[in-house]
Amino acid sequence: MSSYSVSAANLTTLNKKIENYKTVTHTRLIEAAPEDWLLPKGNYEGWMYSKLKEINSKNVSKLTPVWTYSTNLDSGHEAPAQINNGVMFVSTPYNNVIALNAKTGQLYWRYKHDNPYDLSVMHNTSRGVALWGDKVYVAGLDGTLNALDAATGERLCQSQIGDWSIGAYITSAPTPVKGKILVGPSGGEYGVRGFLEAMDAETCETAWKTYSVPGPGEAGHETWKKEGKRPDAWKYGGGSMWMPGNYDADEDILYWGVGNGSPWLGDQRPGDNLYVASSIAMDPDTGKIKGHYQYHYNDSWDWAAMNAPMLIDGLKDGEKKVKGLVSPQRNGYMYWLERDGKGKIEYLEGKPFVANNAFKSLDPKTGRPTYDYDHVPVTGKRVSYCPSLWGGKNWPYESYNPDTGMMYVPANDNICNSFKGKFQDDVEPASGQFWAGIDIPDLDVYLADQSKGVGQMQAWDVNKREKVWQHDYGKTMNWGPVLSTAGNIVFSAGTNDRMLRAFDAKTGEVLWEFPLNSTAIAPPVAYEVDGKQYIAITAGYGVDPHWTNGVLAAKDKSGEWIADVPEGGVIWVFALPDA
């Protein structure tokens, strides 16, 4: 795509220039020093884990707020605070970026993106920034990728990645790898063919672009059968790469998650449909796809595999240790995979972590599911299935703690939906109109058992492949990404009671909780300034969590659902009292 330089004095409010900004290098990103939080998930492996332990299971009950900062914005705040040498960056809905002193909360600058006045997208959120060199990179809902001067917030250059007018808007945090900034758009509900694009960090020129749905002559294209009313379904088959990936720096391989098929109904695009609902391995220099694993074929449930699997070296497979990949997927199954260091991905095992009535079983050798077709959505028939289209776990990040050997999963069980699939011959794909094959008013969301709750925090031993403990939140969904620490703590929010909680990482005991101004659906993070540890999280309810909570609360007859969750973004920072 094109790139150009921009004069952006009118886009940035500069309160104070950041002096002596510490350059972010490839080495620093690999090392992931615990005092910083340079990547959205903390490290390239995607662990959401901090080595800091000043705050621990013995003293976390003393945790107290030390400063807050209002974003002055509504809607869903889903970005982590990212910290570089005492400077905090937070991206917000509507594509603001706020730079703050991470110790005091004082503002350095605020960037306001110049989105088109007639912009219309499904989700107006942002899930983070990329830090590289002396710049901050933020994607826009208008499909742009923007390079900002880290010291002042001035926009230096911009690349047009996606076209929001056809549905290719961007909510993802970009990923920095070796001088390239990688990002993909959303659009699976609009008939957009998904892709990942690499932008040169210095010039904002395109380095490479790789589609998630292979075209003619490319491996995997044969999995899109030329049958039915849409023999060219691959051209608008979805597969959005709308979340940041993970990176194996030793082997120099990217791992990325690929989203749902488009339209949602698989019978309108026959075949396995690679690389929809898959994890793929890629060459970061060229974008070439080197390997893949598809969790379920011909995705018909909107069970996007959007989060890349976590990289865990030394994962046990029986008596041997392997380079592993572990991922709790939206389809409600936890997957253990092996990577060979060259891009090949092999199945080891899969186990359900919430109820799934669409899969009868997984093949023990390949993991390929056998379907119960009573629960596979099709055109012209109302079909119900569990878990719901939001999955056993949606986009919120899980966490892996190498000290406990456990993975902490923000799960939702007992929630289902039904709809009647339709053939949308009155809407053109990639026209900027909703094209999922259903009418949203026809979507029915409900609990499988009205007496039971939904949201959970689950802890799984990744080597024993078994659940160790579970905390049930009751009548609320859980939209809270998870942070675990070397202090034997698991932090998470995401429930409609507005609580930020700290769990004992080994036992699941709730050790501390604090009511925020709004439900926090952003990742909590840990960092250190001048030898003192802090925990930061941004509260701000909105988008899918807000919609689903309203639907379920309206159906509740027990009086236990909290329907009225306040909105409004606030950055919260906590620490232990000074001695």
Side-chain angles (χ1 to χ4, degrees):
M1 292 288 183
S2 61
S3 67
Y4 51 93
S5 298
V6 182
S7 175
N10 63 324
L11 300 180
T12 302
T13 301
L14 177 62
N15 184 53
K16 182 180 180 182
K17 181 179 180 180
I18 299 171
E19 303 290 346
N20 303 315
Y21 183 77
K22 189 173 181 180
T23 300
V24 177
T25 64
H26 184 61
T27 299
R28 288 188 66 204
L29 290 173
I30 293 172
E31 291 177 347
E35 62 268 22
D36 297 316
W37 195 271
L38 299 177
L39 292 159
K41 290 174 274 188
N43 62 9
Y44 271 139
E45 292 81 3
W47 287 0
M48 284 297 299
Y49 165 78
S50 172
K51 296 178 182 178
L52 298 177
K53 53 186 177 182
E54 176 192 349
I55 300 169
N56 56 60
S57 55
K58 295 181 179 180
N59 60 25
V60 69
S61 62
K62 299 178 182 179
L63 210 59
T64 186
V66 293
W67 62 261
T68 61
Y69 189 90
S70 173
T71 68
N72 199 31
L73 294 164
D74 64 359
S75 195
H77 289 61
E78 297 183 345
Q82 292 172 241
I83 297 91
N84 177 25
N85 194 35
V87 179
M88 176 185 290
F89 301 97
V90 178
S91 64
T92 73
Y94 315 107
N95 301 137
N96 285 204
V97 179
I98 303 170
L100 302 162
N101 183 309
K103 183 176 181 179
T104 66
Q106 293 301 305
L107 178 71
Y108 287 116
W109 52 258
R110 178 192 285 256
Y111 168 82
K112 297 181 180 180
H113 187 63
D114 49 344
N115 282 312
Y117 74 93
D118 56 344
L119 177 73
S120 177
V121 297
M122 282 191 69
H123 304 102
N124 52 24
T125 191
S126 171
R127 295 190 175 94
V129 300
L131 305 179
W132 179 266
D134 297 325
K135 299 183 183 69
V136 178
Y137 300 84
V138 60
L141 295 170
D142 58 353
T144 59
L145 183 54
N146 305 270
L148 314 180
D149 185 310
T152 66
E154 178 187 3
R155 189 167 69 195
L156 303 175
C157 60
Q158 179 186 80
S159 180
Q160 187 71 44
I161 303 291
D163 181 355
W164 69 266
S165 69
I166 69 169
Y169 65 101
I170 306 177
T171 59
S172 177
T175 299
V177 179
K178 298 196 304 180
K180 295 181 179 67
I181 311 300
L182 317 178
V183 76
S186 301
E189 281 64 53
Y190 291 89
V192 174
R193 182 185 176 201
F195 64 88
L196 184 67
E197 187 160 331
M199 182 187 82
D200 184 281
E202 293 301 318
T203 67
C204 290
E205 296 286 345
T206 298
W208 52 258
K209 180 177 181 178
T210 299
Y211 285 96
S212 57
V213 175
E218 296 179 317
H221 182 67
E222 71 282 356
T223 65
W224 294 77
K225 295 182 179 180
K226 297 179 180 180
E227 299 175 2
K229 295 182 179 181
R230 295 197 173 105
D232 58 350
W234 66 272
K235 293 181 179 179
Y236 33 81
S240 301
M241 300 163 81
W242 53 274
M243 293 295 292
N246 296 329
Y247 174 56
D248 185 335
D250 291 336
E251 304 293 348
D252 196 28
I253 298 175
L254 295 170
Y255 291 89
W256 224 272
V258 183
N260 55 281
S262 178
W264 289 352
L265 306 154
D267 64 342
Q268 295 185 23
R269 41 178 171 78
D272 282 5
N273 300 156
L274 290 176
Y275 295 97
V276 164
S278 301
S279 290
I280 57 176
M282 307 175 72
D283 184 324
D285 296 323
T286 66
K288 180 181 178 181
I289 296 176
K290 307 180 74 171
H292 76 278
Y293 182 79
Q294 187 173 51
Y295 298 99
H296 52 272
Y297 58 93
N298 191 236
D299 173 59
S300 300
W301 305 269
D302 188 28
W303 285 338
M306 63 282 184
N307 279 340
M310 287 187 174
L311 281 63
I312 303 176
D313 291 341
L315 185 71
K316 287 185 179 180
D317 182 35
E319 297 299 319
K320 67 176 182 177
K321 292 185 177 181
V322 302
K323 286 181 175 290
L325 299 168
V326 184
S327 182
Q329 280 291 312
R330 196 153 153 174
N331 64 25
Y333 277 72
M334 179 94 74
Y335 290 84
W336 287 262
L337 308 170
E338 180 180 357
R339 66 193 202 277
D340 72 347
K342 298 179 181 179
K344 187 177 181 181
I345 304 174
E346 295 284 353
Y347 174 78
L348 298 176
E349 189 173 6
K351 289 184 175 181
F353 63 92
V354 301
N356 176 319
N357 64 5
F359 292 5
K360 290 183 177 180
S361 62
L362 300 184
D363 184 283
K365 293 184 177 179
T366 67
R368 185 178 175 89
T370 297
Y371 294 158
D372 181 341
Y373 284 95
D374 288 339
H375 299 291
V376 179
V378 294
T379 306
K381 180 182 178 182
R382 175 166 288 277
V383 173
S384 65
Y385 61 90
C386 314
S388 72
L389 64 89
W390 291 277
K393 187 196 76 69
N394 203 269
W395 78 266
Y397 304 133
E398 63 274 17
S399 174
Y400 170 66
N401 189 318
D403 306 312
T404 64
M406 294 185 201
M407 180 169 288
Y408 304 93
V409 181
N412 289 296
D413 200 2
N414 192 41
I415 179 171
C416 312
N417 62 238
S418 71
F419 58 82
K420 182 178 180 180
K422 61 181 292 187
F423 189 88
Q424 290 181 270
D425 52 5
D426 58 337
V427 176
E428 288 294 320
S431 64
Q433 300 181 69
F434 191 73
W435 197 74
I438 74 164
D439 290 322
I440 289 297
D442 182 56
L443 176 63
D444 184 29
V445 185
Y446 60 94
L447 301 188
D449 185 337
Q450 291 292 328
S451 68
K452 295 182 179 179
V454 176
Q456 302 171 349
M457 175 69 76
Q458 298 184 12
W460 285 71
D461 186 308
V462 298
N463 284 321
K464 293 181 180 179
R465 303 179 188 175
E466 61 185 29
K467 186 163 57 177
V468 178
W469 58 261
Q470 175 176 306
H471 178 87
D472 293 309
Y473 292 112
K475 295 293 184 72
T476 173
M477 290 187 73
N478 178 12
W479 289 91
V482 186
L483 168 72
S484 63
T485 76
N488 190 40
I489 296 292
V490 173
F491 289 99
S492 188
T495 50
N496 56 9
D497 58 7
R498 302 183 288 117
M499 290 294 183
L500 171 62
R501 292 179 173 86
F503 298 90
D504 184 296
K506 295 177 182 176
T507 68
E509 178 186 358
V510 177
L511 302 175
W512 171 86
E513 57 185 18
F514 185 91
L516 305 170
N517 65 296
S518 176
T519 292
I521 55 178
V525 306
Y527 64 95
E528 186 178 84
V529 181
D530 296 334
K532 187 176 184 65
Q533 182 182 349
Y534 298 88
I535 301 295
I537 191 169
T538 302
Y541 206 48
V543 291
D544 282 31
H546 185 275
W547 188 87
T548 52
N549 188 60
V551 170
L552 291 169
K555 291 186 173 186
D556 179 59
K557 300 185 185 304
S558 68
E560 297 176 15
W561 282 92
I562 301 172
D564 185 15
V565 181
E567 294 189 51
V570 174
I571 303 165
W572 290 81
V573 175
F574 298 84
L576 296 173
D578 292 332

